[in-house]
Amino acid sequence: FSPHRSVLAFSIMSIISSFGIFWFFQIIQKILAVPIKAGLICILGLLLILNFVYFIHMYTVNFPFEKSQNMHYPYKQIALFVWSKYDQFDRIIVDPIYGQSAPVRAVAAHYYLAYYGEYPPAKFQKDLRIEKSGMSFDKFSIREINWSKDQFLQNTLIIASPWSIPIDSIDKNRIIKRFDFYDRQPAFYAIAL
């Protein structure tokens, strides 16, 4: 979860926690002897350090593997790949539907394509067309894949998720690249038509 989205809640919780810790140490100073206080402070300090190490591990190791879709993980690799193939195709279609355990809709695919393709921002703002079916600019179209119709397109690169295409029935020679989540589940397939 992005901390910048909940900075107000973190601030309030920090203030409340600080009052609690201050109150706790005030009670300890009144009740306990000096050696017991020092031991208790060391134990609390060790627990805080262990909690911080646990947090770092969960945020940097577990989170990317379990929730890489929440970080829009494969879109950077997709953007770099489609720009490397830009001159070989007349149109490039990117599927906004993806997910590890259930289909979700990506809302920032066009930003990845523009940013990693070094597309000029002023030109991007002028060229971006938002329609009911999706959005497009230049050769790129970000829309849901309708495989029954899209499979007949010519000179087109389709980046589609397993949620949108029947991957088992597609000719394996047409699949030119597979993009995976951190946990090695397939996120997208690049299909040349």
Side-chain angles (χ1 to χ4, degrees):
F1 188 72
S2 300
H4 72 278
R5 293 185 181 177
S6 58
V7 72
L8 291 176
F10 283 151
S11 300
I12 292 168
M13 295 306 288
S14 295
I15 292 169
I16 293 170
S17 298
S18 299
F19 277 122
I21 291 169
F22 178 76
W23 174 78
F24 180 73
F25 280 115
Q26 290 294 324
I27 290 176
I28 287 176
Q29 284 182 350
K30 291 178 184 176
I31 296 175
L32 299 176
V34 175
I36 297 174
K37 282 193 263 185
L40 191 57
I41 289 172
C42 288
I43 290 171
L44 287 174
L46 180 64
L47 287 174
L48 285 173
I49 290 169
L50 288 174
N51 191 21
F52 182 72
V53 169
Y54 175 73
F55 164 76
I56 294 296
H57 175 75
M58 292 300 289
Y59 195 73
T60 60
V61 177
N62 288 29
F63 182 74
F65 281 92
E66 295 170 5
K67 304 289 184 185
S68 55
Q69 76 182 22
N70 295 351
M71 302 182 315
H72 292 194
Y73 171 67
Y75 277 106
K76 175 183 177 183
Q77 290 79 6
I78 289 168
L80 294 172
F81 176 77
V82 298
W83 279 102
S84 72
K85 303 291 185 190
Y86 182 82
D87 294 330
Q88 298 174 18
F89 296 97
D90 293 337
R91 117 184 67 169
I92 300 169
I93 302 171
V94 178
D95 185 12
I97 305 297
Y98 76 117
Q100 286 175 284
S101 56
V104 295
R105 177 178 288 281
V107 294
H110 55 295
Y111 294 128
Y112 282 93
L113 293 170
Y115 180 78
Y116 288 107
E118 297 179 8
Y119 205 79
K123 185 171 175 22
F124 178 68
Q125 288 179 350
K126 289 178 187 173
D127 292 350
L128 184 64
R129 292 178 305 280
I130 300 173
E131 301 155 353
K132 188 175 182 179
S133 62
M135 55 187 71
S136 61
F137 69 97
D138 202 304
K139 288 184 183 183
F140 300 101
S141 178
I142 297 95
R143 63 169 176 82
E144 290 187 28
I145 304 298
N146 182 349
W147 187 247
S148 61
K149 293 179 183 176
D150 292 337
Q151 67 181 329
F152 301 111
L153 295 172
Q154 298 295 314
N155 203 25
T156 302
L157 176 63
I158 293 180
I159 307 294
S161 74
W163 299 103
S164 301
I165 55 172
I167 196 64
D168 295 333
S169 65
I170 296 174
D171 180 12
K172 300 302 179 210
N173 294 327
R174 290 185 161 196
I175 301 172
I176 56 177
K177 187 160 176 72
R178 177 178 140 170
F179 301 94
D180 292 336
F181 291 114
Y182 276 113
D183 63 357
R184 303 290 180 238
Q185 287 182 359
F188 289 96
Y189 293 93
I191 303 165
L193 301 177

